[in-house]
Amino acid sequence: MTYRLAAGVLVAWLAVGCSTGPKAGPLVITGAGDSPTNNVVRVTGLSGAELRAVAAANLDEAATRALLTVSPSEAEAAPVAGRIVATETALDFQPRSPFDLNRHYVVRFDPSHLPTPRQSPAIRTIVRFSSATAEEPTFVTAVYPSAETWPENVRRFHVHFSGPMSRTSGLTFVHLQDEQGREIRDMLMAAAWNDAGTQLTIELAPERSAGTTNEQVEPRRLVRGRRYRIAIDQAWPDTRERPLAASFTRAFTAGPPATAPIDLRSWRITAPKAGTRTPVALVFPSPLDHALLLEAIVVRTADGRTPAGSTATGAAERAWTFTPTSPWNAGAYQLAVRTTLEDPAGNGIGRRATDSGVRPQPPTSATTEALSFDVR
Protein backbone atom coordinates (compact mmCIF):
# COMPACT_ATOMS: atom_id res chain seq x y z
CA MET A 1 0.00 0.00 0.00
CA THR A 2 1.45 3.37 -1.02
CA TYR A 3 0.18 6.88 -0.49
CA ARG A 4 -0.46 9.77 -2.82
CA LEU A 5 -0.89 13.43 -1.91
CA ALA A 6 -2.98 15.57 -4.25
CA ALA A 7 -4.68 18.92 -3.68
CA GLY A 8 -4.34 18.55 0.08
CA VAL A 9 -6.25 15.25 0.12
CA LEU A 10 -4.45 12.13 1.25
CA VAL A 11 -5.71 8.84 -0.17
CA ALA A 12 -4.52 5.33 0.51
CA TRP A 13 -3.73 3.70 -2.83
CA LEU A 14 -5.20 0.23 -2.76
CA ALA A 15 -3.76 -2.05 -5.38
CA VAL A 16 -6.56 -3.74 -7.27
CA GLY A 17 -5.11 -7.15 -6.75
CA CYS A 18 -4.35 -6.88 -3.06
CA SER A 19 -7.89 -7.49 -1.78
CA THR A 20 -11.44 -7.68 -3.04
CA GLY A 21 -12.56 -5.74 0.03
CA PRO A 22 -16.06 -5.53 1.51
CA LYS A 23 -19.28 -5.80 -0.43
CA ALA A 24 -21.47 -2.77 -1.03
CA GLY A 25 -24.09 -2.23 1.66
CA PRO A 26 -26.09 0.50 3.40
CA LEU A 27 -24.01 3.62 3.94
CA VAL A 28 -23.35 4.48 7.58
CA ILE A 29 -21.55 7.54 9.01
CA THR A 30 -19.96 7.26 12.45
CA GLY A 31 -17.31 8.90 14.58
CA ALA A 32 -14.32 6.69 15.27
CA GLY A 33 -10.97 6.91 17.01
CA ASP A 34 -8.95 5.66 19.93
CA SER A 35 -7.98 9.00 21.48
CA PRO A 36 -9.22 12.63 21.55
CA THR A 37 -6.46 13.60 19.08
CA ASN A 38 -7.07 10.69 16.72
CA ASN A 39 -10.79 10.90 16.01
CA VAL A 40 -12.09 10.54 12.45
CA VAL A 41 -15.42 10.57 10.65
CA ARG A 42 -15.89 7.14 9.04
CA VAL A 43 -18.13 6.09 6.17
CA THR A 44 -18.79 2.35 5.85
CA GLY A 45 -20.93 0.44 3.39
CA LEU A 46 -18.70 1.11 0.40
CA SER A 47 -17.50 -1.84 -1.63
CA GLY A 48 -13.85 -2.66 -2.13
CA ALA A 49 -14.15 -1.54 -5.74
CA GLU A 50 -15.66 1.80 -4.69
CA LEU A 51 -12.90 2.37 -2.14
CA ARG A 52 -10.19 1.55 -4.67
CA ALA A 53 -11.83 3.91 -7.17
CA VAL A 54 -11.78 6.75 -4.63
CA ALA A 55 -8.11 6.05 -3.91
CA ALA A 56 -7.25 6.08 -7.59
CA ALA A 57 -9.39 9.08 -8.54
CA ASN A 58 -6.92 11.73 -7.37
CA LEU A 59 -9.83 13.91 -6.14
CA ASP A 60 -9.24 17.64 -6.01
CA GLU A 61 -10.59 19.84 -3.23
CA ALA A 62 -13.89 20.59 -4.96
CA ALA A 63 -14.56 16.93 -5.80
CA THR A 64 -13.69 15.91 -2.25
CA ARG A 65 -16.17 18.37 -0.74
CA ALA A 66 -18.86 17.30 -3.18
CA LEU A 67 -18.39 13.74 -1.94
CA LEU A 68 -17.92 14.32 1.81
CA THR A 69 -18.22 17.44 3.94
CA VAL A 70 -17.88 17.85 7.70
CA SER A 71 -19.11 21.16 9.13
CA PRO A 72 -19.59 22.51 12.65
CA SER A 73 -23.25 22.44 13.64
CA GLU A 74 -23.31 26.23 14.12
CA ALA A 75 -23.93 26.50 10.40
CA GLU A 76 -20.57 27.98 9.56
CA ALA A 77 -20.16 28.33 5.82
CA ALA A 78 -16.75 26.69 5.51
CA PRO A 79 -16.36 22.94 6.15
CA VAL A 80 -13.73 21.48 8.44
CA ALA A 81 -10.31 21.30 6.78
CA GLY A 82 -8.94 17.79 6.49
CA ARG A 83 -8.19 14.87 4.22
CA ILE A 84 -9.94 11.75 2.98
CA VAL A 85 -8.25 8.41 3.47
CA ALA A 86 -9.60 5.37 1.61
CA THR A 87 -8.67 2.22 3.49
CA GLU A 88 -9.47 -1.39 2.66
CA THR A 89 -12.73 -1.27 4.63
CA ALA A 90 -13.93 2.34 4.94
CA LEU A 91 -13.56 5.98 3.96
CA ASP A 92 -12.11 8.11 6.75
CA PHE A 93 -12.11 11.88 7.09
CA GLN A 94 -9.13 13.03 9.14
CA PRO A 95 -9.37 16.67 10.33
CA ARG A 96 -6.34 18.91 10.00
CA SER A 97 -6.79 19.83 13.68
CA PRO A 98 -8.42 17.47 16.20
CA PHE A 99 -12.19 17.58 16.45
CA ASP A 100 -13.49 19.55 19.43
CA LEU A 101 -14.78 17.23 22.11
CA ASN A 102 -18.47 17.55 23.01
CA ARG A 103 -19.10 19.59 19.86
CA HIS A 104 -21.51 18.51 17.15
CA TYR A 105 -20.53 18.19 13.50
CA VAL A 106 -22.85 17.86 10.51
CA VAL A 107 -21.59 15.22 8.06
CA ARG A 108 -22.93 14.85 4.52
CA PHE A 109 -21.91 12.06 2.16
CA ASP A 110 -23.18 12.07 -1.42
CA PRO A 111 -22.60 8.73 -3.21
CA SER A 112 -23.62 10.27 -6.53
CA HIS A 113 -20.19 11.94 -6.50
CA LEU A 114 -18.25 8.70 -6.19
CA PRO A 115 -15.93 8.02 -9.15
CA THR A 116 -18.49 5.36 -10.10
CA PRO A 117 -21.67 7.15 -9.00
CA ARG A 118 -24.08 5.29 -6.82
CA GLN A 119 -27.69 6.08 -7.65
CA SER A 120 -28.83 6.70 -4.10
CA PRO A 121 -29.55 9.92 -2.19
CA ALA A 122 -27.05 11.75 -0.04
CA ILE A 123 -27.00 10.86 3.65
CA ARG A 124 -26.60 13.36 6.45
CA THR A 125 -26.02 12.85 10.14
CA ILE A 126 -24.68 14.47 13.31
CA VAL A 127 -21.41 13.22 14.80
CA ARG A 128 -20.19 14.10 18.26
CA PHE A 129 -16.92 13.15 19.95
CA SER A 130 -17.25 12.93 23.71
CA SER A 131 -14.60 13.32 26.36
CA ALA A 132 -14.03 10.56 28.86
CA THR A 133 -14.81 12.83 31.81
CA ALA A 134 -18.25 13.70 33.07
CA GLU A 135 -19.86 16.47 31.06
CA GLU A 136 -20.89 19.80 32.50
CA PRO A 137 -24.56 20.72 32.59
CA THR A 138 -25.90 22.41 29.50
CA PHE A 139 -26.26 26.19 29.67
CA VAL A 140 -27.40 29.08 27.49
CA THR A 141 -24.40 30.59 25.74
CA ALA A 142 -25.99 33.52 23.89
CA VAL A 143 -29.15 35.16 22.59
CA TYR A 144 -29.12 36.96 19.24
CA PRO A 145 -29.56 39.78 18.25
CA SER A 146 -26.62 40.64 20.48
CA ALA A 147 -27.21 44.42 20.35
CA GLU A 148 -28.59 46.23 23.39
CA THR A 149 -31.31 47.74 21.20
CA TRP A 150 -33.62 45.63 19.05
CA PRO A 151 -35.86 47.14 16.38
CA GLU A 152 -39.43 47.37 17.62
CA ASN A 153 -40.50 45.30 14.59
CA VAL A 154 -38.03 42.49 15.29
CA ARG A 155 -39.25 39.22 13.77
CA ARG A 156 -37.11 36.56 15.40
CA PHE A 157 -34.36 35.83 17.89
CA HIS A 158 -32.00 32.88 18.40
CA VAL A 159 -31.11 31.06 21.63
CA HIS A 160 -27.80 29.15 21.66
CA PHE A 161 -26.88 26.33 24.06
CA SER A 162 -23.61 24.67 25.05
CA GLY A 163 -25.00 21.22 24.23
CA PRO A 164 -27.98 19.51 22.59
CA MET A 165 -31.38 20.20 24.12
CA SER A 166 -34.47 18.04 24.22
CA ARG A 167 -36.98 18.80 21.47
CA THR A 168 -39.73 19.70 23.93
CA SER A 169 -41.52 22.91 23.01
CA GLY A 170 -39.08 25.70 23.70
CA LEU A 171 -41.96 28.14 24.09
CA THR A 172 -42.78 26.44 27.40
CA PHE A 173 -39.51 27.64 28.89
CA VAL A 174 -38.91 30.96 27.09
CA HIS A 175 -40.73 34.11 28.23
CA LEU A 176 -40.89 37.69 27.01
CA GLN A 177 -41.29 40.08 29.93
CA ASP A 178 -41.77 43.83 30.30
CA GLU A 179 -39.57 46.03 32.50
CA GLN A 180 -41.67 45.16 35.58
CA GLY A 181 -41.08 41.46 35.00
CA ARG A 182 -44.63 40.75 33.82
CA GLU A 183 -44.92 38.18 31.07
CA ILE A 184 -46.22 39.41 27.71
CA ARG A 185 -48.27 36.52 26.40
CA ASP A 186 -49.01 35.36 22.88
CA MET A 187 -46.08 37.17 21.28
CA LEU A 188 -43.76 34.18 20.90
CA MET A 189 -44.90 31.66 18.36
CA ALA A 190 -43.09 29.40 15.88
CA ALA A 191 -39.87 27.78 17.03
CA ALA A 192 -37.33 25.82 14.96
CA TRP A 193 -34.24 23.85 16.01
CA ASN A 194 -31.01 23.42 14.13
CA ASP A 195 -29.93 19.84 13.35
CA ALA A 196 -27.78 19.50 16.47
CA GLY A 197 -30.40 20.81 18.88
CA THR A 198 -28.05 23.58 20.04
CA GLN A 199 -29.85 26.57 18.53
CA LEU A 200 -33.53 27.49 18.79
CA THR A 201 -35.01 30.17 16.54
CA ILE A 202 -38.17 31.79 17.91
CA GLU A 203 -40.48 33.89 15.76
CA LEU A 204 -42.56 36.78 17.11
CA ALA A 205 -46.22 36.90 16.18
CA PRO A 206 -47.08 39.48 13.51
CA GLU A 207 -49.34 42.48 14.10
CA ARG A 208 -48.92 42.32 17.84
CA SER A 209 -48.46 45.23 20.22
CA ALA A 210 -47.08 45.19 23.72
CA GLY A 211 -47.65 47.40 26.72
CA THR A 212 -50.73 49.17 25.37
CA THR A 213 -53.55 49.86 27.83
CA ASN A 214 -56.29 50.85 25.38
CA GLU A 215 -58.08 48.81 22.74
CA GLN A 216 -56.10 50.20 19.84
CA VAL A 217 -53.84 47.59 18.28
CA GLU A 218 -50.67 49.09 16.85
CA PRO A 219 -48.89 47.40 13.93
CA ARG A 220 -45.66 47.06 15.91
CA ARG A 221 -45.11 44.37 18.51
CA LEU A 222 -42.75 46.16 20.87
CA VAL A 223 -42.97 49.77 22.03
CA ARG A 224 -40.03 51.98 21.19
CA GLY A 225 -38.04 53.15 24.22
CA ARG A 226 -39.32 50.47 26.59
CA ARG A 227 -37.18 47.79 28.23
CA TYR A 228 -37.85 44.08 27.82
CA ARG A 229 -36.13 40.87 28.67
CA ILE A 230 -36.01 37.28 27.48
CA ALA A 231 -36.23 34.92 30.47
CA ILE A 232 -35.31 31.24 30.11
CA ASP A 233 -36.27 28.70 32.78
CA GLN A 234 -33.65 26.51 34.39
CA ALA A 235 -36.10 23.59 34.23
CA TRP A 236 -35.61 23.24 30.47
CA PRO A 237 -34.23 19.69 29.97
CA ASP A 238 -31.37 18.78 27.66
CA THR A 239 -31.11 15.47 25.78
CA ARG A 240 -29.97 13.75 28.97
CA GLU A 241 -33.11 15.00 30.75
CA ARG A 242 -31.04 17.26 32.98
CA PRO A 243 -32.14 20.84 33.67
CA LEU A 244 -30.02 23.74 32.54
CA ALA A 245 -27.13 24.73 34.76
CA ALA A 246 -28.92 27.99 35.56
CA SER A 247 -31.76 30.20 34.43
CA PHE A 248 -30.90 32.93 31.93
CA THR A 249 -32.11 36.46 31.20
CA ARG A 250 -31.29 38.82 28.37
CA ALA A 251 -32.46 42.43 28.56
CA PHE A 252 -32.87 44.80 25.62
CA THR A 253 -34.52 48.08 24.67
CA ALA A 254 -36.94 48.44 21.77
CA GLY A 255 -35.64 50.97 19.27
CA PRO A 256 -36.77 52.46 15.97
CA PRO A 257 -38.14 49.99 13.42
CA ALA A 258 -35.89 48.55 10.73
CA THR A 259 -37.65 49.24 7.44
CA ALA A 260 -34.95 49.55 4.79
CA PRO A 261 -34.12 46.70 2.40
CA ILE A 262 -30.61 45.28 2.56
CA ASP A 263 -28.46 47.17 0.05
CA LEU A 264 -25.22 45.39 -0.85
CA ARG A 265 -23.83 48.64 -2.27
CA SER A 266 -23.69 50.04 1.25
CA TRP A 267 -21.44 47.22 2.52
CA ARG A 268 -17.78 48.04 3.09
CA ILE A 269 -15.23 45.38 2.15
CA THR A 270 -11.71 45.23 3.57
CA ALA A 271 -9.56 42.94 1.43
CA PRO A 272 -6.60 41.04 2.93
CA LYS A 273 -3.05 40.93 1.59
CA ALA A 274 -1.64 37.98 -0.33
CA GLY A 275 0.47 35.57 1.70
CA THR A 276 -1.35 36.35 4.95
CA ARG A 277 -4.25 34.76 6.81
CA THR A 278 -5.78 38.14 7.60
CA PRO A 279 -9.57 37.82 7.29
CA VAL A 280 -11.59 39.45 4.57
CA ALA A 281 -14.03 41.70 6.41
CA LEU A 282 -17.47 43.18 5.74
CA VAL A 283 -19.09 46.03 7.66
CA PHE A 284 -22.83 46.68 7.37
CA PRO A 285 -24.71 49.91 8.05
CA SER A 286 -27.23 48.06 10.27
CA PRO A 287 -27.44 44.68 12.03
CA LEU A 288 -28.24 41.50 10.11
CA ASP A 289 -29.72 38.20 11.30
CA HIS A 290 -26.99 36.22 13.07
CA ALA A 291 -27.94 32.72 11.94
CA LEU A 292 -28.64 33.70 8.33
CA LEU A 293 -25.46 35.75 8.18
CA LEU A 294 -23.28 32.75 9.02
CA GLU A 295 -24.90 30.73 6.23
CA ALA A 296 -25.45 33.32 3.52
CA ILE A 297 -21.97 34.54 2.54
CA VAL A 298 -19.40 32.30 0.86
CA VAL A 299 -15.95 33.21 -0.45
CA ARG A 300 -15.15 31.96 -3.95
CA THR A 301 -12.04 32.10 -6.09
CA ALA A 302 -12.07 33.19 -9.73
CA ASP A 303 -12.50 29.56 -10.82
CA GLY A 304 -15.42 28.98 -8.42
CA ARG A 305 -13.63 27.14 -5.62
CA THR A 306 -14.47 27.77 -1.96
CA PRO A 307 -11.36 28.18 0.22
CA ALA A 308 -11.35 26.38 3.55
CA GLY A 309 -11.68 28.60 6.57
CA SER A 310 -14.03 29.91 9.23
CA THR A 311 -16.59 32.70 9.41
CA ALA A 312 -17.61 34.89 12.32
CA THR A 313 -19.90 37.81 13.03
CA GLY A 314 -18.87 41.05 14.70
CA ALA A 315 -20.43 43.22 17.38
CA ALA A 316 -24.21 43.60 17.04
CA GLU A 317 -24.03 41.53 13.82
CA ARG A 318 -22.85 44.60 11.91
CA ALA A 319 -19.68 42.90 10.71
CA TRP A 320 -18.65 39.59 9.15
CA THR A 321 -15.23 38.02 8.63
CA PHE A 322 -13.80 35.00 6.85
CA THR A 323 -10.41 33.69 7.98
CA PRO A 324 -8.79 31.20 5.58
CA THR A 325 -7.10 28.04 6.74
CA SER A 326 -4.18 28.69 4.38
CA PRO A 327 -2.65 32.04 3.36
CA TRP A 328 -4.40 33.96 0.62
CA ASN A 329 -3.20 33.61 -2.94
CA ALA A 330 -3.09 36.79 -5.01
CA GLY A 331 -6.00 37.15 -7.40
CA ALA A 332 -9.65 38.03 -7.84
CA TYR A 333 -12.27 36.74 -5.41
CA GLN A 334 -16.01 37.02 -4.95
CA LEU A 335 -18.33 37.05 -1.99
CA ALA A 336 -21.42 35.07 -3.02
CA VAL A 337 -24.34 36.40 -0.96
CA ARG A 338 -27.47 34.26 -0.87
CA THR A 339 -30.67 36.23 -1.35
CA THR A 340 -32.23 34.46 1.64
CA LEU A 341 -30.27 36.83 3.91
CA GLU A 342 -32.44 39.04 6.15
CA ASP A 343 -32.08 41.46 9.01
CA PRO A 344 -33.79 40.82 12.39
CA ALA A 345 -36.95 42.58 11.15
CA GLY A 346 -37.30 40.42 8.05
CA ASN A 347 -36.04 42.90 5.46
CA GLY A 348 -34.18 41.15 2.67
CA ILE A 349 -31.86 42.02 -0.19
CA GLY A 350 -33.76 44.56 -2.27
CA ARG A 351 -37.03 43.87 -0.45
CA ARG A 352 -38.56 45.15 2.76
CA ALA A 353 -40.85 43.60 5.31
CA THR A 354 -44.44 44.80 5.04
CA ASP A 355 -45.90 47.23 7.55
CA SER A 356 -48.64 44.72 8.38
CA GLY A 357 -46.08 42.44 9.99
CA VAL A 358 -46.39 39.75 7.33
CA ARG A 359 -43.07 39.64 5.52
CA PRO A 360 -42.79 38.53 1.90
CA GLN A 361 -41.49 35.03 1.42
CA PRO A 362 -37.72 35.02 0.89
CA PRO A 363 -36.39 33.32 -2.24
CA THR A 364 -36.26 29.53 -1.93
CA SER A 365 -33.80 28.92 -4.75
CA ALA A 366 -30.05 29.19 -4.34
CA THR A 367 -29.85 32.60 -6.02
CA THR A 368 -26.88 34.77 -5.09
CA GLU A 369 -25.56 38.27 -5.49
CA ALA A 370 -21.82 38.73 -6.03
CA LEU A 371 -19.41 41.22 -4.48
CA SER A 372 -15.84 41.30 -5.82
CA PHE A 373 -12.53 41.98 -4.09
CA ASP A 374 -8.87 41.57 -5.03
CA VAL A 375 -6.07 40.08 -2.97
CA ARG A 376 -2.71 41.64 -3.79
Side-chain angles (χ1 to χ4, degrees), residues 142-160:
V143 170
Y144 293 95
S146 63
E148 291 300 316
T149 299
W150 293 11
E152 63 180 2
N153 60 339
V154 65
R155 296 292 171 79
R156 69 177 75 87
F157 61 91
H158 310 284
V159 184
H160 289 245

Side-chain angles (χ1 to χ4, degrees), residues 142-148 250 279-284 286-291 293-294 297 310-323 344:
V143 170
Y144 293 95
S146 63
E148 291 300 316
R250 167 76 161 81
V280 57
L282 284 171
V283 176
F284 318 114
S286 57
L288 298 179
D289 182 275
H290 177 264
L293 186 56
L294 287 175
I297 305 176
S310 60
T311 59
T313 61
E317 294 73 70
R318 294 186 60 175
W320 173 95
T321 59
F322 171 82
T323 304

Side-chain angles (χ1 to χ4, degrees), residues 159-292:
V159 184
H160 289 245
F161 301 88
S162 63
M165 296 294 293
S166 64
R167 299 305 178 100
T168 53
S169 174
L171 299 181
T172 304
F173 303 98
V174 182
H175 313 279
L176 177 63
Q177 299 173 340
D178 63 18
E179 50 195 343
Q180 282 78 41
R182 296 172 300 197
E183 183 166 7
I184 304 170
R185 301 186 180 278
D186 303 323
M187 286 188 63
L188 307 184
M189 45 177 293
W193 290 96
N194 67 350
D195 290 331
T198 56
Q199 174 189 301
L200 181 67
T201 298
I202 297 177
E203 298 275 346
L204 277 72
E207 298 186 5
R208 179 70 60 179
S209 64
T212 57
T213 57
N214 54 35
E215 295 181 355
Q216 180 183 3
V217 176
E218 303 177 44
R220 63 194 181 207
R221 293 182 295 275
L222 303 176
V223 177
R224 191 185 316 183
R226 295 189 180 178
R227 291 284 289 174
Y228 300 89
R229 70 175 184 175
I230 305 296
I232 298 175
D233 297 337
Q234 183 180 6
W236 200 344
D238 62 14
T239 52
R240 292 161 289 168
E241 298 301 321
R242 302 192 306 179
L244 292 173
S247 58
F248 181 91
T249 59
R250 167 76 161 81
F252 65 93
T253 300
T259 58
I262 298 172
D263 184 359
L264 301 188
R265 295 170 299 179
S266 66
W267 293 8
R268 189 171 74 249
I269 304 176
T270 301
K273 292 184 178 180
T276 72
R277 294 185 61 247
T278 302
V280 57
L282 284 171
V283 176
F284 318 114
S286 57
L288 298 179
D289 182 275
H290 177 264
L292 296 177

